[in-house]
Amino acid sequence: MGNALTFLYGKCCKPTTTDDSLGPHGISAATVGVSALAHDLFNFEITSQVPEGLGRYVQSSRKAQANWYRKIHEAWKQAKPPPQTAEEASRLVIEILKRNQKADVEGLLSFYGLPWSHTLVEVYVEAPVSSLPEGVDPKAVADGDTITVYVRASEPVVSSYVPREVNLAAVQRAKAREKRNYPKADELHQKIIDSGYRVLNIDNEEVLARKFRIRLRGIDAPESQMPFGKEAQQGLLKIVGRKSLKVLVYGEDQYGRCVADLYCNGIFVQEAMLKKGLAWHYVAYDKRPVLAKWEKEARQKRIGLWASSNPEKPWDWRKNNRRE
């Protein structure tokens, strides 16, 4: 099947390691918001009040919010057993609120620090290259903290968002290829690519897929122009190459990338990158103590970029080289 990536997609998707960051409620994210949601549902049963601050995350009225909590509370009570993990809680919320506005559902999940997860779909790392032992195109791994993946457009969680002109171009491209009008087919494919999609050949099948960029949550690797930038990029490429991946998406950054925790055959990719000395803990955006612990271990061992006594931080480098 190629480089299959399990992608839990809501806007874009259960960690295997402890997450000690704090969410909006100050609750330890070892349960990633499950305890906070359970607490608020219990409180709602007693007071019929939704939590203060939720309105900053959602668009609908307090009356509508109360209706959500009533439905979620009833489903939570009926679940045997009730949700124990972030993924289970997220799935329950999305199932109960599936007829509501997508922005409201995502806002509610974000309020509790829950992933925007719903449906398991197959994702492919861009264009395998047979000459590489890892089997992954280096273009799919931009640097040590960003990768590009594609989701089949036929998946229900993607299909409803595919623009009509993209579907039409895909059909016209297929017809052009049947007639061996390859220049026309290439022109149509470029139109598809410009729209954020691509036609991939998966097991000799032409598959329309949507492109997503994934930004690894909580770490910052050296930029490609920085010392050790190439080593960080190659390190990530080696970790994810020819392996099954799982993505747990927590939001979107200012560049439209899905900010996510990434797992590879049971390995927490951010943990591997930090322990190998291939990245910094991005403490400005992620307070998880365990990330700081893994960075400290690499520093003490003086491995990777820590072989240098005072490596330049990527956020400082970007600030000093903003024009470039």
Side-chain angles (χ1 to χ4, degrees), residues 1 4-13 91 102 118-124 150-163 167 197-198 202 205-212:
M1 199 57 137
L5 176 65
T6 302
F7 195 77
L8 298 174
Y9 177 81
K11 184 174 184 182
C12 304
C13 352
R91 285 177 181 273
K102 183 169 175 280
H118 188 25
T119 306
L120 285 169
V121 299
E122 289 179 345
V123 180
Y124 299 90
Y150 286 86
V151 184
R152 286 176 182 263
S154 59
E155 293 291 342
V157 291
V158 177
S159 60
S160 60
Y161 298 99
V162 181
N167 276 320
Y197 292 76
R198 183 182 290 271
I202 307 296
E205 177 188 0
E206 295 278 276
V207 175
L208 178 64
R210 181 178 174 182
K211 178 181 179 179
F212 290 95

Side-chain angles (χ1 to χ4, degrees), residues 71-131:
K71 291 179 180 178
I72 295 170
H73 178 256
E74 187 61 33
W76 196 282
K77 288 196 303 182
Q78 293 178 3
K80 304 295 181 184
Q84 301 295 316
T85 69
E87 183 180 332
E88 291 168 354
S90 181
R91 285 177 181 273
L92 182 145
V93 169
I94 293 172
E95 178 61 29
I96 297 304
L97 303 184
K98 60 186 177 183
R99 297 185 183 280
N100 289 269
Q101 294 183 51
K102 183 169 175 280
D104 279 338
V105 179
E106 291 176 356
L108 180 61
L109 294 173
S110 294
F111 179 67
Y112 288 106
L114 294 171
W116 302 343
S117 61
H118 188 25
T119 306
L120 285 169
V121 299
E122 289 179 345
V123 180
Y124 299 90
V125 176
E126 184 177 358
V129 176
S130 59
S131 61

Side-chain angles (χ1 to χ4, degrees), residues 31-46:
T31 52
V32 202
V34 178
S35 292
L37 176 56
H39 173 273
D40 286 347
L41 291 172
F42 176 74
N43 185 67
F44 178 81
E45 184 180 25
I46 299 171

Side-chain angles (χ1 to χ4, degrees), residues 174-225:
K175 291 180 179 179
R177 287 180 62 82
E178 286 178 3
K179 297 178 181 179
R180 298 187 178 184
N181 187 350
Y182 298 117
K184 180 63 175 179
D186 291 343
E187 178 185 332
L188 289 164
H189 196 202
Q190 188 58 54
K191 180 179 179 179
I192 293 170
I193 292 171
D194 292 342
S195 299
Y197 292 76
R198 183 182 290 271
V199 178
L200 302 177
N201 188 293
I202 307 296
D203 293 339
N204 296 318
E205 177 188 0
E206 295 278 276
V207 175
L208 178 64
R210 181 178 174 182
K211 178 181 179 179
F212 290 95
R213 289 194 302 155
I214 308 297
R215 175 63 166 83
L216 274 64
R217 176 179 176 236
I219 68 170
D220 199 2
E223 300 293 333
S224 57
Q225 305 96 317

